[in-house]
Amino acid sequence: MSDPAERGPQEVRGPAPEPHPPAGAAPHPGPYPLAGAAPHPGGYPPYPVPGPGAQPGAHAQPSHPGGPPHPAGFPHSGVPDGSGPPHGGPRQPAPGPGLPPGEVEPRQRLHPLSPVLHGAKSLVVVIAGLSWSTLSRVGFGWFAVLAAALALGATVLAVISWYNTGYHVVGRELRVYEGLLWRRTRAIPLERLQAVEVVRPLLAQLTGLAELRLEVVGGGKTEAPLAYLSVADATALRQRLLALAGRAPQDAAAPEAPAGGAAPADAAAPPGRPLHTVRNKDLLLSQLLTPQAFMIPFGVAFVVAQFLSEGSWSFIAVASTLTAMAGVLLQPIRRVLDDWNFRLALDAGTLRVRNGLLETRAQTVPLHRVQTVGATWPLLWRIKGWLRLRLEVAGYAVGESDARNRPDRLLPVGDLPTAEAILAEVLPGVRLGELPLTAPPARARWLNPLSRNVLGAGLHEKVFAARSGLLTRQVVVVPYARIQSVRVVQGPAQRRLRLATVHADTAGGAGAAASDRDVAEAWALAAELTARAHAARRAG
């Protein structure tokens, strides 16, 4: 599919849409048939198409400026619990729970084994950073001495960092202190807290520790990871933070290890009503049906050719080839390790996800923060009739470099009936096989000669749906209440063909787009999306 951005897109904004229907009135149906309803004989309501000399107007914006209401119900300004002056003034330290007035709870340090774990991680990074050429030049003995010296230095720095790192709760803030030469204090307002996740990497599992990660509204990345705490301390701190934020958890994010040190039998089972458990056999097979897996025979053949060729074989060449093959296979292997024992449950309007082999994760996703749901059919997966479902969740850092920190997994692999059963729990009344998708006009073939018949968009009774992709098919559905703005964009080639692309943006950032629609249809679709977004927000 040709991306409008690649053709030099130019945003075209039209005048404000017509008055929206009164509160409680049903939105005007578009030319796409509603699920279970006949299409309106008149199609979209009339909407003026701007002429060549028209001045662009404002975006078509729903009336509600932000996303869904804050789950804690706290305002964005002031301090609701009286721990500081209103109107965003400077906060005064407030005593912790159970402390007399005028006293603040003491700072807490991380677990004493934290420097050991950080030092072990540094050792792996150091060994990986020293190239094969260094080993060949200095020899194995000096290589081992160099790696040990660097690892020892990293461990000493980790101990110093641990000694100067602390945290405590002051009023409605979690304060984290760190740094020796450059001191830094981070104050995280708990009313902006979205989620607190307990993560247990492999080394943490072996030592009975856990890492606490926080998601804050508007954060560029996961805030203040506390690594590492004991499992009991991490669980207790998570419950306390969520309780202070007004969202007392109904479960412990990570089960406490019993006295004997053995994990409970149902440690991987999330609380609530079970929805689905992905079979590890299907997970392995799905990653074998990827382009990366088909590169293995070529890599093996290249290594064998290096051995058999006279004068061209060397340890460095083979090691470099094996390293390149490991890089190719890293993504599917990482997916298998991340999604191992994937279990999904529903608990009081909240999705509970637990997954991971070397690094276990317990994540919580409130359904009211789900912005979009995307279904993807990779080319080779269609042989088995498989697809995967992913979420776009408001409040999570979209710029996070580690995508595993985002709770976007809804179904790593599964068939269509399973996907529709899970989708019905997240978006009731929406079925992938019943979305009213229509193709763009025939002249769009000039821009999409192969994928024109694959492109599609339509208005369901509850969601806006868009389909794209030739080799990897994808369908994205956006509830009307989650639409933040509607844009109509035209590139130079689209203007000559009288085409335009309609974008429905969400708080999560991605949204959905109806590509290469007729200009009149695009403006009418934008007006209809705006009207339905208004109506859905008023009804909600």
Side-chain angles (χ1 to χ4, degrees), residues 11 13 23 83 128 130 176 223 248 255 285 314 334 382 398 433 454 465 492 535:
E11 188 170 332
R13 303 172 179 173
S83 59
L130 295 175
V176 181
E223 287 287 345
L285 183 58
S314 66
R334 190 174 182 178
R382 297 179 206 170
V398 296
V454 176

Side-chain angles (χ1 to χ4, degrees), residues 14-34:
E18 294 183 349
H20 305 300
H28 193 288
Y32 305 101
L34 295 176

Side-chain angles (χ1 to χ4, degrees), residues 26 66 84 113 123 138 167 175 284 354 375 383 395 435 443 455 458 511:
L113 290 179
L123 177 61
V138 303
Y167 68 93
R175 296 188 181 178
L284 287 170
R354 285 195 177 163
I383 303 174
L435 296 175
R443 60 182 180 274
L455 298 177

Side-chain angles (χ1 to χ4, degrees), residues 223-288:
E223 287 287 345
L226 298 177
Y228 295 85
L229 304 170
S230 67
V231 176
D233 290 344
T235 302
L237 181 58
R238 174 185 183 268
Q239 293 176 337
R240 180 185 176 190
L241 294 179
L242 290 179
L244 290 175
R247 291 180 295 282
Q250 301 180 9
D251 72 303
E256 295 187 14
D266 59 345
R273 176 169 58 90
L275 292 181
H276 184 63
T277 299
V278 176
R279 297 193 305 171
N280 294 328
K281 177 182 176 181
D282 293 344
L283 185 63
L284 287 170
L285 183 58
S286 67
Q287 295 308 310
L288 290 177

Side-chain angles (χ1 to χ4, degrees), residues 182-220:
W182 291 272
R183 298 290 179 89
R184 182 170 61 168
T185 301
R186 286 186 285 182
I188 302 176
L190 297 182
E191 60 264 23
R192 300 180 62 228
L193 194 64
Q194 290 292 321
V196 182
E197 310 296 351
V198 175
V199 181
R200 302 192 66 195
L202 178 60
L203 293 177
Q205 296 182 52
L206 297 177
T207 54
L209 302 181
E211 179 180 346
L212 208 63
R213 297 181 181 177
L214 284 68
E215 287 289 346
V216 181
V217 175

Side-chain angles (χ1 to χ4, degrees), residues 51-74:
Q55 296 294 328
H59 281 278
Q61 296 273 359
S63 59
H64 195 288
H70 195 283
F74 296 127

